[in-house]
Amino acid sequence: MSRNVLERVLWQLSVERPAKERFREDPEGFLSRFDLSDDEKAMVLNFDVKAMQDIGVNAMLTMGFWQEMSPNRSMRVYKEKLGATNEQTAGFSAALKGGN
């Protein structure tokens, strides 16, 4: 497993607009440019942030990747993917609060 390569992929997908566009158009083609195992490619394609963190990928990179690229950008779902229970996520909301 190549944690460093995975982190580079996630960083690009979090901050580089051309990388995001290439990934959206052809995810497997985008990933083929990197020296990733089939398991690592599957982690990215399946947005398996828990598996990535389990092998040591930086949590801020997995969160940025999730927020930028996931079809469901909900932070509640992100936390559930990491193994949080419904009870642990019940009060969690990434929504900004209005008010003065």
Side-chain angles (χ1 to χ4, degrees):
M1 295 276 171
S2 175
R3 186 196 76 211
N4 292 337
V5 176
L6 266 174
E7 288 183 339
R8 186 169 23 136
V9 169
L10 298 186
W11 182 84
Q12 285 186 3
L13 291 173
S14 295
V15 301
E16 294 181 2
R17 179 170 288 169
K20 293 175 192 182
E21 291 170 1
R22 285 193 304 270
F23 183 80
R24 285 185 182 113
E25 291 170 5
D26 181 12
E28 291 181 17
F30 174 80
L31 293 176
S32 71
R33 302 176 19 223
F34 299 92
D35 187 21
L36 296 170
S37 70
D38 289 340
D39 288 340
E40 292 166 330
K41 289 177 186 175
M43 287 179 208
V44 176
L45 293 170
N46 296 319
F47 296 89
D48 192 347
V49 291
K50 176 155 179 32
M52 287 187 254
Q53 286 188 19
D54 286 348
I55 63 167
V57 172
N58 182 288
M60 293 302 292
L61 287 171
T62 63
M63 186 173 69
F65 168 64
W66 181 269
Q67 290 177 321
E68 289 294 322
M69 302 303 298
S70 174
N72 180 345
R73 297 179 183 181
S74 163
M75 288 306 294
R76 180 183 305 248
V77 174
Y78 173 79
K79 290 182 72 73
E80 288 170 359
K81 287 275 252 183
L82 292 176
T85 64
N86 285 339
E87 183 178 293
Q88 291 169 317
T89 63
F92 181 80
S93 174
L96 295 175
K97 305 280 185 204
N100 298 328

